Amino acid sequence: NNERINKKDMRSSMTVVHEESQDLKPLVFSKMELLESKHPLFRRVWYGRHIINQNSPLLTPNARKLVKANKGWWPAELNSAEGVRKSVQFRQLLVSLTGTANVNASAVRARKVYDYVDMNVGYRFARVLYIDEVTDRLTVDPSMLNDVREQNGGGREQFKNIIDGDVVDV
């Protein structure tokens, strides 16, 4: 779709789907707060960010207590890939974007669902913008949209691959 999006009307939201327990009790939906949930200059790429703090619906009750006891700061004992993964609980994250096309004022929507297994602790999304050498214009590389790179400072979890039934660190 080559329609331009009205930058002032771009909105995002994230919804967290929890399971009350392993017994498949009813699902619970929680709205998550995002930094930069509106972006007046949205043009090519936009990163929505959620801070995992004592108010985050992603935290387990135990992790929430530890963060509160630490005056809102992430506790040192959870400051590892394993600690973060054990402190976060959700079944799915539903990310939705809505906007208005500049060309005909029609609604534009996108939605992506992330499962718990899609979470990569200690990684950030790869840069998807580059300067095209032929046109000298800023361009988006769609092949990089779901790629991740290790975060600055390390602390990443190992990726696992299943090869011929064996789990192998990557």
Side-chain angles (χ1 to χ4, degrees):
N1 188 344
N2 290 333
E3 293 185 56
R4 294 199 172 171
I5 307 299
N6 184 336
K7 300 168 199 154
K8 293 179 183 173
D9 286 337
M10 202 63 191
R11 304 283 188 274
S12 75
S13 67
M14 291 179 71
T15 304
V16 184
V17 180
H18 301 279
E19 287 188 66
E20 286 294 310
S21 73
Q22 302 296 345
D23 302 327
L24 296 177
K25 290 184 180 177
L27 299 176
V28 175
F29 293 85
S30 306
K31 191 160 183 146
M32 274 182 24
E33 292 294 322
L34 287 181
L35 296 178
E36 300 123 11
S37 63
K38 297 177 186 175
H39 197 301
L41 301 176
F42 178 81
R43 186 170 171 128
R44 291 179 181 89
V45 175
W46 175 23
Y47 297 100
R49 294 173 181 89
H50 171 72
I51 295 176
I52 299 177
N53 59 22
Q54 63 192 20
N55 300 316
S56 173
L58 295 176
L59 281 182
T60 63
N62 185 51
R64 186 178 323 283
K65 287 177 193 172
L66 291 171
V67 171
K68 283 182 181 179
N70 204 33
K71 299 179 182 167
W73 295 96
W74 192 258
E77 63 265 29
L78 300 178
N79 201 17
S80 66
E82 184 178 317
V84 171
R85 185 164 285 281
K86 286 181 178 179
S87 300
V88 173
Q89 67 176 1
F90 65 91
R91 180 174 169 196
Q92 294 179 319
L93 292 176
L94 288 72
V95 180
S96 64
L97 295 170
T98 59
T100 305
N102 276 342
V103 175
N104 60 8
S106 65
V108 179
R109 293 179 169 81
R111 189 181 103 160
K112 172 75 176 160
V113 177
Y114 292 95
D115 293 313
Y116 183 81
V117 296
D118 296 325
M119 181 174 64
N120 299 312
V121 177
Y123 294 85
R124 60 177 174 76
F125 281 106
R127 293 184 183 183
V128 296
L129 294 175
Y130 69 97
I131 302 291
D132 187 291
E133 293 177 5
V134 175
T135 64
D136 201 37
R137 296 184 73 188
L138 192 60
T139 307
V140 176
D141 181 354
S143 70
M144 299 289 287
L145 286 176
N146 286 312
D147 284 7
V148 293
R149 301 288 184 257
E150 186 175 354
Q151 70 184 8
N152 295 332
R156 68 179 171 87
E157 63 186 356
Q158 284 291 118
F159 283 138
K160 306 279 185 192
N161 242 351
I162 298 177
I163 301 172
D164 297 328
D166 295 323
V167 177
V168 180
D169 287 337
V170 180

